[in-house]
């Protein structure tokens, strides 16, 4: 049954890719790129139970890695990506060790600080090397396969996402790491008394998630072809990723991907709504897209936290139970699996 | 020639004087972080938005009502204190008993939503506030300049801090506030209304944030950078001083503002902000409880 589901999913995704216009494929690729970041953040927040506001920083670090090695074109594309991921992992280690040893809100504070330090470093590096024009990246190719069209990018990103997905789900479900992480997540005290080094496993989760997010930053740079440090210098990028995880449901991989899709589609959705309304509303929405976007972001976060803390995953679970029990409403055990 | 001059354009004393306005702002903003965190355990990442909202509000009041600026300021502070209390009772209090990350994420959501709403209403233009008092410059020695406005805000921030400390230490409201923080359950059993007491703590914190924003806005401008470079960066002095210590914030404000002023002078103006964040990371690494904070911070 699982394999049939998987097969159907793959066929549907490939079919969608072949049907979309190049412009729609560009949006689909943006969703896939956001999904990397959301999955990475989700791994950390799910395992460590702490909030990281460092996504903008790690995306920036990945882009910086691509800017250091990529523009000359002499170093193969996969090497650049691995290099970017490695820098991300190292920075994650440096910040994660002090911040994750402490409980509570210190990881959030540390990652906010990291954002501003990375903005400054990246900005200074750009001013010192290429200046305002930014870096131009060559068309990447991997084993002779040129990534020169949105459709090719779509399949390439799908494959990478699939690999990351398999690694994450396998690590989480059937490795010693996964078992340790699950224990840490359900009860730190118990995990400690079972001989699990809680801090080390949290730092490990942070390093892995940082590396994946940095990789996403490098991939996004290649996808766009240009790198500007100013693309990464906003805390609101980090907040958007947090809202992806919160929308999807804390600790759920499907949820993270769905959240990434929703947040990425938000501006397009708003312009569609604007076009459906009168001309005056339409110009208002298109001129204020940024502000409206962050308002919707914030309202979604607040609403979900207040009314549906489990996110969409919990909604899906409730829907499933409702359908299972239908038409006997009183048999539904709503509180099962509540976050 | 002395290696380090005391006065003159490259002296130490003028540098310290340059740091005074910044220290004033940090003291107020820091107090706001500390009192809200200490009383309710919420790391309110929307403090910067509170500060900016107060500035916009004052600008709007001052340009639409034609009364004395002092009345405008008082009106702004009253509105902001009600707003702060309402935000706690209406949003954060509803997350009681949830994991602490929920409140952090909620404050991020609030910050984002407020950013957008203020962007819609006031755009990204910079506004100037009317002059508060006559512009007299004091020059205690060469290279050091302080305006009367700076001195006024030094007085306001130190005064507000002392009042807060006195309220927390010596009044019955302060006792109830500490009780509600220490053990909400026991406090409510002895008849303390934790709702209203903690709401008041938020109101006091919001007023501090508003004053901090105004201390920046009067000599400079009202505009979106206030949220990040004044509000969020207020975390640095708070963490240096100790996240749950109102007294430690004062020392933290002085240290961070001096470090920033020195960095701006020797590394360039763009280094001013990242240096403060780097200082924060260093403290996180070596002394996470800050200089004055309680040692109750739990290590895993």
């Amino acid at each position: 049954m699982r394999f049939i589901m998987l097969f159907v999913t793959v066929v549907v995704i490939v079919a969608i890719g072949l049907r979309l216009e190049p412009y729609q494929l560009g949006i689909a690729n943006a969703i896939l790129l956001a999904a990397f970041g959301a999955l990475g953040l989700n791994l950390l927040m799910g395992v460590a139970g702490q909030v990281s506001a460092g996504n903008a920083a790690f995306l920036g670090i990945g882009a910086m890695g691509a800017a250091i090695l990529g523009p000359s074109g002499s170093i193969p594309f996969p090497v650049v990506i691995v290099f970017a991921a490695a820098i991300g992992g190292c920075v994650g280690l440096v910040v994660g060790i002090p911040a994750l040893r402490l409980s509570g809100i210190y990881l959030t504070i540390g990652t906010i600080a990291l954002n501003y330090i990375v903005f400054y470093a990246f900005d200074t590096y750009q001013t010192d090397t290429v200046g305002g024009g930014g870096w131009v990246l060559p068309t990447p190719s991997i084993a002779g396969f040129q990534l020169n069209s949105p459709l090719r990018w779509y399949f390439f990103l799908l494959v990478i996402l699939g690999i990351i997905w398999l690694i994450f789900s396998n690590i989480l479900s059937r490795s010693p790491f996964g078992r340790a992480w699950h224990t840490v997540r359900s009860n730190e005290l118990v995990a400690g008394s079972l001989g699990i080094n809680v801090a080390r496993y949290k730092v490990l989760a942070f390093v892995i998630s940082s590396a994946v997010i940095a990789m996403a930053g490098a991939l996004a740079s290649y996808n766009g072809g240009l790198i500007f440090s100013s693309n990464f210098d906003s805390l609101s990028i980090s907040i958007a990723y947090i809202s992806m995880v919160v929308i999807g449901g804390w600790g759920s991989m499907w949820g993270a991907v769905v959240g990434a899709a929703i947040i990425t589609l938000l501006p397009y959705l708003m312009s569609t709504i604007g076009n459906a309304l009168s001309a005056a509303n339409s110009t208002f929405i298109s001129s204020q897209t940024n502000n409206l976007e962050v308002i919707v972001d914030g309202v979604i976060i607040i609403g979900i936290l207040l009314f549906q803390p489990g996110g969409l995953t919990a909604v899906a679970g409730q829907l499933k139970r409702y359908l299972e029990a239908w038409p006997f409403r009183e048999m539904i055990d709503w509180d099962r699996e509540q976050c | 020639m002395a290696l380090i001059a005391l006065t003159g354009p490259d002296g130490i004393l003028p540098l310290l004087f340059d740091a005074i306005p910044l220290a004033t702002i940090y003291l107020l903003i820091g107090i706001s972080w500390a009192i809200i965190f200490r009383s309710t355990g919420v790391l309110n990442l929307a403090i910067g938005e509170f500060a900016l909202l107060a500035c916009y509000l004052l600008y709007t009041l001052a340009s639409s009502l034609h009364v004395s600026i002092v009345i405008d300021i008082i009106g702004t502070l009253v509105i902001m204190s009600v707003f702060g209390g309402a935000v706690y009772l209406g949003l954060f209090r509803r997350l009681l008993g949830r994991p602490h990350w929920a409140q952090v994420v909620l404050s991020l959501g609030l910050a984002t939503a407020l950013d957008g709403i203020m962007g819609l209403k006031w755009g990204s233009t910079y506004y100037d506030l009317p002059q508060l008092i006559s512009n007299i410059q004091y020059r205690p020695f060469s290279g050091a300049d302080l305006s009367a406005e700076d001195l006024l805000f030094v007085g306001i921030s130190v005064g507000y801090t002392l009042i807060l400390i006195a309220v927390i230490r010596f009044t019955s409201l302060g006792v109830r506030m500490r009780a509600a923080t220490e053990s909400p359950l026991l406090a409510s059993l002895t008849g303390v209304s934790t709702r209203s007491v903690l709401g008041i703590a938020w109101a006091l914190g919001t007023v501090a944030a508003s004053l901090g924003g105004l201390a920046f806005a009067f000599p400079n401008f009202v505009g979106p950078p206030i949220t990040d470079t004044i509000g969020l960066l207020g975390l640095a002095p708070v963490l240096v001083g100790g996240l749950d210590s109102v007294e430690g914030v004062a020392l933290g404000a002085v240290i961070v503002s001096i470090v920033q002023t020195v960095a701006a002078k020797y590394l360039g103006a763009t280094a001013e902000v990242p240096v403060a964040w780097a200082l924060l990371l260093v403290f996180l690494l070596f002394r996470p409880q800050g200089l004055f904070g309680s040692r109750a911070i739990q290590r895993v």
Side-chain angles (χ1 to χ4, degrees):
Chain A
M1 187 63 192
R2 268 191 79 180
F3 285 101
I4 298 173
M5 288 288 284
L6 189 68
F7 182 72
V8 170
T9 317
V10 169
V11 168
V12 167
I13 291 173
V14 171
I16 288 175
L18 293 172
R19 292 279 300 166
L20 291 177
E21 309 276 323
Y23 140 84
Q24 293 166 322
L25 274 170
I27 302 173
N29 290 342
I31 294 176
L32 291 175
L33 286 165
F36 286 106
L39 280 176
L41 187 65
N42 185 52
L43 175 76
L44 168 75
M45 305 218 303
V47 170
Q50 283 172 0
V51 184
S52 157
N55 262 47
F58 288 111
L59 288 171
I61 288 168
M64 204 166 153
I68 293 170
L69 290 190
S72 68
S74 57
I75 294 156
F77 168 62
V79 176
V80 179
I81 299 298
V82 171
F83 172 71
I87 314 182
C90 292
V91 176
L93 189 67
V94 172
V95 179
I97 286 176
L100 285 161
R101 271 190 321 174
L102 307 163
S103 65
I105 32 58
Y106 287 88
L107 184 69
T108 315
I109 300 178
T111 46
I112 289 175
L114 183 69
N115 274 318
Y116 289 93
I117 294 167
V118 169
F119 300 162
Y120 174 70
F122 199 0
D123 215 41
T124 316
Y125 181 63
Q126 182 175 345
T127 320
D128 291 350
T129 49
V130 291
W135 291 271
V136 183
L137 288 171
T139 306
S141 71
I142 185 159
F145 182 71
Q146 289 269 331
L147 293 171
N148 52 8
S149 74
L151 189 62
R152 290 184 165 195
W153 266 103
Y154 179 72
F155 287 121
F156 170 70
L157 290 175
L158 270 180
V159 170
I160 304 283
L161 191 67
I163 294 171
I164 299 273
W165 182 285
L166 284 179
I167 293 174
F168 274 21
S169 57
N170 276 302
I171 287 183
L172 284 174
S173 57
R174 54 189 77 156
S175 74
F177 293 122
R179 285 190 287 275
W181 273 336
H182 276 298
T183 322
V184 169
R185 184 170 149 184
S186 11
N187 192 326
E188 281 183 22
L189 210 62
V190 170
S193 64
L194 285 172
I196 296 167
N197 188 333
V198 174
R200 187 175 299 165
Y201 275 96
K202 283 186 175 183
V203 172
L204 187 65
F206 191 51
V207 169
I208 294 176
S209 93
S210 308
V212 169
I213 298 166
M215 186 192 78
L219 286 174
S221 307
Y222 270 103
N223 185 34
L226 287 169
I227 307 177
F228 296 102
S229 64
S230 56
N231 284 353
F232 302 93
D233 68 351
S234 167
L235 194 62
S236 60
I237 299 172
S238 300
I239 299 177
Y241 278 91
I242 293 176
S243 56
M244 291 174 197
V245 174
V246 171
I247 289 173
W250 202 268
S252 148
M253 286 173 64
W254 278 111
V257 174
V258 173
I262 292 176
I263 293 291
T264 315
L265 285 175
L266 207 58
Y268 302 102
L269 205 66
M270 269 187 310
S271 71
T272 314
I273 294 172
N275 290 338
L277 298 171
S278 66
N281 284 325
S282 166
T283 37
F284 171 73
I285 288 184
S286 61
S287 66
Q288 296 285 358
T289 306
N290 271 338
N291 286 325
L292 291 171
E293 205 185 320
V294 292
I295 293 177
V296 174
D297 251 19
V299 170
I300 288 179
I301 293 182
I302 296 173
I304 285 187
L305 280 172
L306 290 184
F307 303 112
Q308 189 52 268
L312 288 181
T313 319
V315 175
Q318 286 174 359
L319 196 67
K320 194 176 158 214
R321 282 196 289 282
Y322 177 80
L323 290 177
E324 277 170 4
W326 194 83
F328 304 109
R329 307 198 62 194
E330 50 289 338
M331 281 174 67
I332 309 168
D333 178 11
W334 291 113
D335 284 335
R336 201 172 45 151
E337 278 179 48
Q338 270 266 307
C339 180
Chain B
M1 195 181 92
L3 194 62
I4 300 165
L6 271 182
T7 56
D10 288 324
I12 290 180
L13 279 176
L15 213 56
L16 295 183
F17 266 80
D18 280 349
I20 286 178
L22 200 56
T24 313
I25 297 165
Y26 280 154
L27 179 58
L28 287 164
I29 298 279
I31 290 279
S32 176
W33 285 97
I35 194 165
I36 286 177
F37 183 77
R38 189 175 152 163
S39 59
T40 53
V42 178
L43 182 77
N44 178 18
L45 293 169
I47 293 265
E49 277 71 15
F50 286 13
L52 180 59
L53 183 61
C55 299
Y56 278 140
L57 212 56
L58 178 64
Y59 170 78
T60 310
L61 285 182
S63 52
S64 54
L65 304 175
H66 297 284
V67 288
S68 150
I69 183 82
V70 178
I71 296 174
D72 292 332
I73 293 178
I74 292 172
T76 305
L77 294 181
V78 169
I79 296 173
M80 287 309 294
S81 63
V82 172
F83 174 73
V87 162
Y88 174 68
L89 295 176
L91 293 178
F92 287 88
R93 182 129 183 119
R94 302 182 55 165
L95 294 190
L96 268 187
R98 296 262 193 84
H100 61 261
W101 58 258
Q103 293 180 327
V104 174
V105 175
L106 180 67
S107 75
L108 275 178
L110 179 67
T112 315
L114 284 177
D115 270 341
I117 292 168
M118 291 190 289
L120 273 188
K121 176 86 180 71
W122 286 286
S124 51
T125 333
Y126 289 4
Y127 302 100
D128 277 323
L129 289 177
Q131 201 153 38
L132 193 54
I133 45 175
S134 60
N135 192 17
I136 310 165
Q137 292 283 331
Y138 297 102
R139 177 169 291 192
F141 40 81
S142 82
D145 284 311
L146 274 182
S147 70
E149 226 166 47
D150 291 337
L151 288 177
L152 180 70
F153 273 107
V154 170
I156 290 176
S157 72
V158 173
Y160 191 69
T161 311
L162 291 178
I163 291 173
L164 268 188
I165 292 176
V167 165
I168 292 172
R169 289 244 165 117
F170 305 119
T171 65
S172 87
L173 174 67
V175 173
R176 280 182 282 150
M177 209 180 275
R178 280 182 286 156
T181 308
E182 200 92 352
S183 165
L185 185 66
L186 288 182
S188 61
L189 284 177
T190 53
V192 174
S193 161
T194 48
R195 278 176 63 87
S196 55
V197 164
L198 296 180
I200 291 173
W202 268 66
L204 291 173
T206 311
V207 168
S210 313
L211 284 172
L214 295 182
F216 174 83
F218 268 107
N220 301 292
F221 59 84
V222 181
I226 289 181
T227 55
D228 277 21
T229 53
I230 298 303
L232 204 53
L233 198 49
L235 264 176
V238 181
L239 219 71
V240 168
L243 195 46
D244 52 359
S245 150
V246 175
E247 295 86 346
V249 173
L251 188 65
V254 172
I255 292 174
V256 173
S257 57
I258 290 177
V259 168
Q260 277 195 290
T261 315
V262 171
K265 188 172 162 95
Y266 292 103
L267 301 174
T270 49
E272 201 174 338
V273 169
V275 156
W277 288 112
L279 185 70
L280 183 154
L281 271 187
V282 169
F283 264 81
L284 209 58
L285 188 54
F286 296 109
R287 203 178 161 82
Q289 75 273 30
L291 295 171
F292 279 93
S294 57
R295 284 179 171 274
I297 288 163
Q298 191 194 340
R299 281 185 186 267
V300 208

